[in-house]
Amino acid sequence: MRKATFVFLHMLTIILVSCSLFTGLRFSLLTQDWLRFLSALLPQGSLYPWHIGSASLLSVLAMGYLLLSLWRPYRSSPSHYHLWVNRFGYLIILVLLGSGWLLWLGRFVAIAQPLHFYSFWLLLIYLLMHGWAYFIQHGKYVISALLPKQPEKHSIAAVLSVTVGGILLYSATQHSAETLTVASLAPEEFIDIDGLGDESQWQRAPVYTIETHGGINFDDGRSTIQVQALANSQESYFLVRWTDSSMSTNHLPLLKTQAGWKVQQNGFYEFDERTFYEDKLAVMLSHSCEAGADNTAQLGNRPLDGKPPNWHGKGFHASMDGKIRDLWHWKAVRTNDMYLADDNFFGPPAIAQQGQRRYTAGYQPDGKESGAYVMNWRWYKPGLVTPKRLPDQSNAHLSVLPWFGSTPYTAENDDFAPGSTLSSILYRSNRFEGDRADVRARGTWSNGVWTLELVRKHDTGSEHDVPLTNGTCMWFSAFDHAQIGHTRHMRPAILRYPL
């Protein structure tokens, strides 16, 4: 390998590693709060394409460099220290690339995720050691030594080969999906949406398994999700199981103190509750199948130009290409007793409303004709709140407060003792009606596993819903008593219906 070729590839490596490091740090902020002081220095917006793209180019570059080194190695005379530093760096980069691709595949996540995280910090140590060695060798001319000089044909050919190969690898990875085969269901066969999944028909449906990571409160942030699917001529049925060591059905309960009622919360004021919240599952559907949430994740404190910031600094979901992504949002407290999943969608960033405290960008609910749950307080404050209604004694233990099992709050009829708790969810009716009620669902928890059954028509006719058909892609995210801290996976599942 000629020196000019080495210098050009070295400069390309610096660019790609920098891109991977800065985008990777932004992803780390989703779970590592202690890194928030770096937020202002990091890129914002749709970063999955940049992270996967730089990894693709770097992977091709690493393979090309290995082949060139075996065929025609670059001869230099590094010090003994620099030689071992370089070997350390090669090893770290290979581990980072290998663990990153395993996370992309959703395989061996229990090993790959911590390996990827700790290798990142080892890479920073390597860069300091490597940079110091260059500084010792070249002194004040170190920048000049790093920059390419007059290009040669071999150098240009090497860089172009890496670029073309990286783009091809990126294109293949961005549109890669794993098949979720849908088994047939005869018209006379019945599936009871009860959250048990004990019908014999489920046994003929292949199991799609994905290891998700990055969730708040899960054991090591990970949850294994298994999905099966059945379909008749009108509807598609899904059986979803995921690991969760605890059943969480507390949703911001009200606590009676000596001074009055207060909302139990740990992050809710910033819309990032992590303790007093229900378990949830989110399913996203899309006509397109790009890895990394189909480019709907807009990361950072203020990733959308001309739109308000978010309170927690993590980002928004929004569809920047104008297309709708369907979202089924099952909630263990708010919708489970409705036998529904909340039918929502990711659309273009909404117009910010004056006086609106929480801006949700593209995350919006489908329309409804009637039915709702509301919070059981008049005005939220971090201190004391006033409940809207108090339960009858027979309903005081319920996690959801029924309207016709409660009375309007007055100080005179508030005879609850300090230490008492009260539901913060108030049902104004039994369930949604209309577009928002298109997805029937019921979940149960047992022995560290949630079991959820869902069903929806193949095509609801709604402009906010994605039809269920061959080629529809799905992503699954689990929440463990967390408001926004869900698990994630890169590659979607793509539906394949029987002919």
Side-chain angles (χ1 to χ4, degrees), residues 203-437:
Q203 297 178 14
R204 62 173 179 255
V207 179
Y208 162 82
T209 303
I210 189 68
E211 298 179 51
T212 64
H213 65 281
I216 299 294
N217 299 323
F218 285 100
D219 295 337
D220 297 319
R222 297 186 290 272
S223 178
T224 300
I225 300 178
Q226 295 183 324
V227 187
Q228 294 170 268
L230 297 167
N232 56 30
S233 60
Q234 299 295 322
E235 296 176 315
S236 291
Y237 295 78
F238 296 91
L239 175 62
V240 186
R241 292 187 172 97
W242 68 96
T243 54
D244 183 348
S245 60
S246 63
M247 177 184 179
S248 306
T249 54
N250 269 337
H251 184 90
L252 303 169
L254 302 183
L255 174 68
K256 183 67 175 294
T257 68
Q258 293 289 349
W261 293 95
K262 67 177 297 183
V263 178
Q264 291 184 278
Q265 61 92 23
N266 176 28
F268 178 64
Y269 190 73
E270 293 81 29
F271 305 105
D272 187 15
E273 178 58 44
R274 303 168 178 220
T275 304
F276 302 99
Y277 221 71
E278 66 202 306
D279 291 338
K280 303 188 292 179
L281 184 86
V283 183
M284 189 181 81
L285 302 90
S286 176
H287 291 299
S288 52
C289 302
E290 292 197 37
D294 206 29
N295 293 327
T296 62
Q298 310 297 323
L299 303 181
N301 179 60
R302 195 166 196 159
L304 302 174
D305 291 338
K307 301 297 182 183
N310 53 73
W311 284 74
H312 40 70
K314 296 181 178 179
F316 296 114
H317 279 288
S319 169
M320 305 308 292
D321 59 6
K323 299 176 182 178
I324 293 295
R325 274 73 171 182
D326 202 355
L327 182 69
W328 304 348
H329 203 169
W330 174 82
K331 305 164 185 176
V333 174
R334 287 172 287 175
T335 68
N336 200 37
D337 285 345
M338 293 182 178
Y339 282 74
L340 293 173
D342 204 344
D343 195 0
N344 304 150
F345 67 93
F346 294 148
I351 298 173
Q353 303 297 318
Q354 189 171 4
Q356 180 184 32
R357 186 167 179 268
R358 185 190 182 190
Y359 176 71
T360 58
Y363 172 43
Q364 302 293 331
D366 287 15
K368 62 183 177 68
E369 296 172 3
S370 65
Y373 55 79
V374 294
M375 305 310 295
N376 189 27
W377 56 68
R378 294 179 184 173
W379 296 102
Y380 174 76
K381 292 178 290 186
L384 300 179
V385 297
T386 302
K388 290 180 179 177
R389 299 179 73 85
L390 293 174
D392 300 340
Q393 288 300 324
S394 59
N395 296 322
H397 66 287
L398 298 178
S399 57
V400 174
L401 185 61
W403 189 274
F404 295 106
S406 60
T407 56
Y409 176 86
T410 63
E412 290 73 22
N413 65 4
D414 183 2
D415 55 2
F416 286 83
S420 302
T421 58
L422 181 63
S423 170
S424 68
I425 304 300
L426 178 62
Y427 272 5
R428 292 197 297 192
S429 66
N430 290 335
R431 57 184 296 156
F432 299 124
E433 293 182 10
D435 198 354
R436 197 170 171 181

Side-chain angles (χ1 to χ4, degrees), residues 80-102:
H80 189 70
Y81 164 81
H82 202 175
L83 179 65
W84 282 102
V85 167
N86 284 340
R87 290 173 178 174
F88 173 68
Y90 296 155
L91 176 62
I92 293 302
I93 290 176
L94 288 175
V95 170
L96 272 169
L97 290 172
S99 58
W101 288 119
L102 286 175

Side-chain angles (χ1 to χ4, degrees), residues 165-212:
I167 291 173
L168 291 175
L169 179 59
Y170 170 74
S171 299
T173 56
Q174 274 296 85
H175 298 90
S176 173
E178 192 167 354
T179 300
L180 172 54
T181 303
V182 184
S184 296
L185 190 66
E188 67 275 7
E189 292 182 304
F190 177 73
I191 301 294
D192 187 13
I193 305 301
D194 56 8
L196 299 177
D198 54 1
E199 289 86 359
S200 61
Q201 290 86 349
W202 288 117
Q203 297 178 14
R204 62 173 179 255
V207 179
Y208 162 82
T209 303
I210 189 68
E211 298 179 51
T212 64

